[in-house]
Amino acid sequence: MPRRLNRSRTKGSDAARSDRTQSDDALSEVIGFILIIAILMIFLSLWMVYVVPAEGRQQEIEHMNYVRNWFTQYKITADSLWVNHEPNDPYKSLTGVTFSNSLTLGSQGGATQAGGLFLPVMSPIGSTGAVAVANQQAASGGVERIEIRKDGNPNPDIDFQMGRLEYDATNHYWIPQSYYYQMGGVFLKQPSGTVARVSPLINFETSGTFIALLELAGAGQIGLSGQGPVRVDTKMTNRTESYSLIPAPATPYSNITIYLEDESVARGWENALKELRFQSGVSSGACNIYRNPTDVVRIDLQGGPEKIQYRYIYYTISVQSIATGAT
């Protein structure tokens, strides 16, 4: 009897050990699977925290560089149109000539969101943008404009509204910013300030000051937003004219007052105009440039450059959507 009991106990112990071995094997497989999931989640988290924003930031930086080059090329094309225009020569008249430019509004990141293991979260979200032609409100009232006076007149001899062709970017990973074309210049506006990437069409000389009064007016559809490409059509009208504003010999004095959107834009204009004055060699006494009080830039001219030559240039701009797709 004792031997039989011993045999039965031995068989039971062996079965228990076998069951425990099988249970340990199953438990190790579960733990291993959980560790693999944890490692995968850590990898995905690091990818989303570091790689996706870096890739999105790079895409948006490249797109903003593209927008900057687009506005620079637009300025060159628009300038060449009125510079080469001769209204009195029917063979050289460019009245009614339209030039078109294609502009992609977004960074196109959204077109590749299915990439990267076919998970949308593995790719950055594409930025969007809006382009429009409009008159911006001035902080001091009214719209952005230039007023020119001679001989200390209380009323302006010239009151000219400054339109814009503006692109506003909605960036997710890079600095929000805007590019716009105004008065022949290209400006970049960011939260930290505004800078003139290309100077406006104002020239200071001892023999006189030249200003190109460039009006941008909407024709048809004047704005679009989104991610895809749009076409910007610009046409020069038949009202391109040149004039001179000459003060009286007894009171050789003129001033130019520029009313702008806010202090940031005014500071950008002030810096650009002071650079133009420095390049021309005109002294600050003959051409005094300052902000008054914060959002208004004033130019006082006397002692030579008080004569103002100006030219009206009129453009009409329309924005069209470009349908794209596979054929």
Side-chain angles (χ1 to χ4, degrees):
M1 289 297 294
R3 292 180 180 177
R4 291 178 181 175
L5 292 173
N6 289 337
R7 289 196 189 102
S8 61
R9 288 176 181 174
T10 302
K11 291 180 180 179
S13 299
D14 292 341
R17 282 196 297 269
S18 176
D19 292 340
R20 285 196 298 269
T21 302
Q22 294 177 0
S23 299
D24 292 342
D25 291 343
L27 182 61
S28 64
E29 291 179 0
V30 173
I31 294 175
F33 181 75
I34 293 175
L35 289 176
I36 292 175
I37 294 297
I39 293 173
L40 181 60
M41 293 304 297
I42 292 173
F43 170 77
L44 291 176
S45 299
L46 292 175
W47 184 277
M48 293 176 62
V49 171
Y50 295 102
V51 178
V52 171
E55 183 179 350
R57 182 167 58 252
Q58 182 63 31
Q59 289 179 0
E60 291 178 352
I61 291 174
E62 292 176 355
H63 182 252
M64 296 313 302
N65 290 336
Y66 154 78
V67 173
R68 177 199 63 199
N69 295 335
W70 186 93
F71 271 91
T72 302
Q73 184 60 45
Y74 182 90
K75 180 259 188 317
I76 294 173
T77 306
D79 285 357
S80 64
L81 197 62
W82 69 265
V83 167
N84 295 309
H85 171 65
E86 295 185 14
N88 297 324
D89 189 338
Y91 297 100
K92 296 183 179 180
S93 175
L94 300 178
T95 298
V97 172
T98 301
F99 66 91
S100 298
N101 302 79
S102 177
L103 172 65
T104 302
L105 297 179
S107 62
Q108 299 296 294
T112 59
Q113 287 184 17
L117 300 180
F118 303 98
L119 295 176
V121 296
M122 299 292 286
S123 296
I125 300 174
S127 65
T128 59
V131 61
V133 52
N135 291 321
Q136 185 67 37
Q137 295 295 316
S140 299
V143 298
E144 291 188 320
R145 63 193 184 278
I146 287 181
E147 293 181 354
I148 303 177
R149 296 174 175 83
K150 66 175 182 177
D151 304 326
N153 292 338
N155 298 321
D157 296 278
I158 297 173
D159 189 349
F160 186 83
Q161 296 183 359
M162 302 189 303
R164 289 184 182 183
L165 175 63
E166 185 169 16
Y167 172 85
D168 290 318
T170 304
N171 292 329
H172 303 292
Y173 309 96
W174 187 236
I175 303 170
Q177 53 194 251
S178 302
Y179 276 96
Y180 62 92
Y181 173 73
Q182 184 180 53
M183 289 293 292
V186 177
F187 296 86
L188 167 62
K189 184 178 182 181
Q190 298 179 343
S192 58
T194 302
V195 63
R197 298 301 304 245
V198 180
S199 298
L201 293 172
I202 299 178
N203 185 37
F204 302 106
E205 298 291 343
T206 55
S207 59
T209 299
F210 172 78
I211 300 179
L213 299 175
L214 197 150
E215 179 180 304
L216 304 178
Q221 189 162 344
I222 61 174
L224 282 173
S225 62
Q227 287 186 324
V230 297
R231 191 182 77 240
V232 180
D233 297 332
T234 306
K235 180 173 70 173
M236 187 175 69
T237 68
N238 59 355
R239 294 185 292 171
T240 301
E241 302 164 320
S242 299
Y243 301 95
S244 294
L245 192 66
I246 304 175
T251 56
Y253 176 80
S254 298
N255 65 69
I256 302 169
T257 308
I258 308 175
Y259 297 87
L260 297 161
E261 176 186 2
D262 53 31
E263 182 179 358
S264 170
V265 175
R267 191 181 299 275
W269 268 85
E270 179 188 20
N271 294 334
L273 294 174
K274 286 182 176 179
E275 291 176 2
L276 292 172
R277 182 189 62 189
F278 175 78
Q279 295 171 4
S280 66
V282 177
S283 66
S284 58
C287 178
N288 187 20
I289 300 172
Y290 56 96
R291 282 182 295 119
N292 180 29
T294 57
D295 58 318
V296 177
V297 176
R298 184 179 171 94
I299 308 170
D300 292 334
L301 301 169
Q302 57 185 347
E306 71 277 353
K307 176 184 176 181
I308 297 177
Q309 296 178 330
Y310 58 97
R311 183 167 187 175
Y312 285 118
I313 305 164
Y314 296 89
Y315 288 116
T316 58
I317 302 175
S318 62
V319 182
Q320 309 293 331
S321 177
I322 302 177
T324 58
T327 57

